[in-house]
Amino acid sequence: AEAAPNLAITKSVSPVHVTENGTLTYTFRIQNYGSVAATNTTGVVITDTFAPVLNNLTAALNGTAWTAATDYTYNEATGTFSSTAGAITVPAATYTQDSTTGAWVVTPGESTLVITGTV
C-alpha cells in the first residue's frame, strides 16, 4: 500500500434559500483515507468559486479562524477562494480489524473547513 494521504471532499451549503444581505455558509468536509496525514508539507489546496459572490468572508479550519492572505486568498470581484498551500491539514485514517470476521474497517481522518459570508 502506498504511504500517502488519500483525500475525499464533500461540500455543502446552508441555508438553501437566502435573501440579499443574508448569510451563506459553505462547509467542506475533508476526509483522509490514507495511512499518512496531510500536513503543511503536503501542500493541499482547496479552490472554489462562490456564486453568488460572498462579502465579509470568514474562514475557519476545525474551528480555528483563518487569516486572509496568510491562510487563504479571496477575490470579491470573482468569488474565487483558494486556501494557501499547506494551510489544510487532515489526520491519517485509522485501521482496525474485526477479531471475529477478520474484516478491516477504515475510519478516515477528518478536518472541516467552514467559509461564511453575506450575499
Side-chain angles (χ1 to χ4, degrees), residues 22-49:
T23 300
L24 275 178
T25 300
Y26 287 89
T27 302
F28 295 85
R29 181 177 176 205
I30 311 152
Q31 294 181 302
N32 183 1
Y33 290 87
S35 60
V36 174
T39 64
N40 60 344
T41 59
T42 308
V44 173
V45 173
I46 289 181
T47 302
D48 200 357
T49 301

Side-chain angles (χ1 to χ4, degrees), residues 48-50 53-54 57 72-82:
D48 200 357
T49 301
F50 301 123
V53 172
L54 300 176
L57 186 128
Y72 69 92
T73 59
Y74 182 64
N75 183 324
E76 285 192 3
T78 64
T80 302
F81 171 91
S82 185

Side-chain angles (χ1 to χ4, degrees), residues 96-105:
T96 54
Q97 187 174 26
D98 185 293
S99 60
T100 304
T101 67
W104 284 92
V105 176

Side-chain angles (χ1 to χ4, degrees), residues 15 17-23 118-119:
H17 301 286
V18 66
T19 59
E20 187 174 351
N21 295 320
T23 300
T118 57
V119 293

